[in-house]
Amino acid sequence: VARISARHTPWQERLVIGITAFRRPQHLQRLVASIRKRYPTLPIVVADNGDDPATLPADVHVLRLPFDCGLSKARNALVAATDHEYFLLLEEDFCFTAETRLEDFVEILEQDPEIGVVGGALF
């Protein structure tokens, strides 16, 4: 039932972006800036287990994890910190471009409830 009623909510309010980060603050800042350029209101959560935190916009939620605790622990922390219907997992060295269309991913998931995961091409 929650899934049906959630469809009346704009997709941007049902998607959260989770980013794992470790010792590459410039990459993380570039990624967040590229997300904000395309999708200024999407929630972003960062799981950072490095020792050199990036300076990020105030609306980005940062989970400070123990140093070098590992990728799996960071990913699990991201999942535990969110309750959105859709979750997009990224690494800090990704970058959104004019061709990035998250709405296409959501549309695929909503057209077929049997689909649980959608992936894209990385260049």
Side-chain angles (χ1 to χ4, degrees):
V1 175
R3 188 170 173 88
I4 294 169
S5 62
R7 289 179 191 237
H8 299 292
T9 305
W11 70 268
Q12 298 94 330
E13 294 177 21
R14 295 181 284 134
L15 174 72
V16 62
I17 295 175
I19 304 169
T20 58
F22 180 73
R23 295 185 127 179
R24 296 191 287 185
Q26 295 84 4
H27 289 82
L28 180 58
Q29 290 167 329
R30 183 188 68 206
L31 171 57
V32 169
S34 73
I35 294 168
R36 286 292 175 248
K37 185 175 181 180
R38 298 271 305 136
Y39 303 101
T41 62
L42 280 180
I44 300 173
V45 180
V46 174
D48 189 346
N49 65 14
D51 56 355
D52 187 14
T55 302
L56 298 170
D59 66 336
V60 174
H61 182 72
V62 179
L63 307 171
R64 295 288 311 142
L65 303 176
F67 177 71
D68 200 14
C69 66
L71 184 59
S72 294
K73 184 166 182 124
R75 288 177 174 172
N76 288 337
L78 288 170
V79 171
T82 63
D83 63 357
H84 288 70
E85 185 176 1
Y86 301 117
F87 176 78
L88 176 64
L89 178 63
L90 304 175
E91 306 299 326
E92 79 265 49
D93 60 350
F94 289 18
C95 189
F96 282 24
T97 68
E99 290 81 32
T100 303
R101 294 190 37 87
L102 300 182
E103 51 273 31
D104 292 346
F105 291 156
V106 174
E107 183 178 332
I108 290 168
L109 290 167
E110 291 185 345
Q111 285 180 357
D112 186 347
E114 296 295 316
I115 296 175
V117 176
V118 177
L122 299 176
F123 298 99

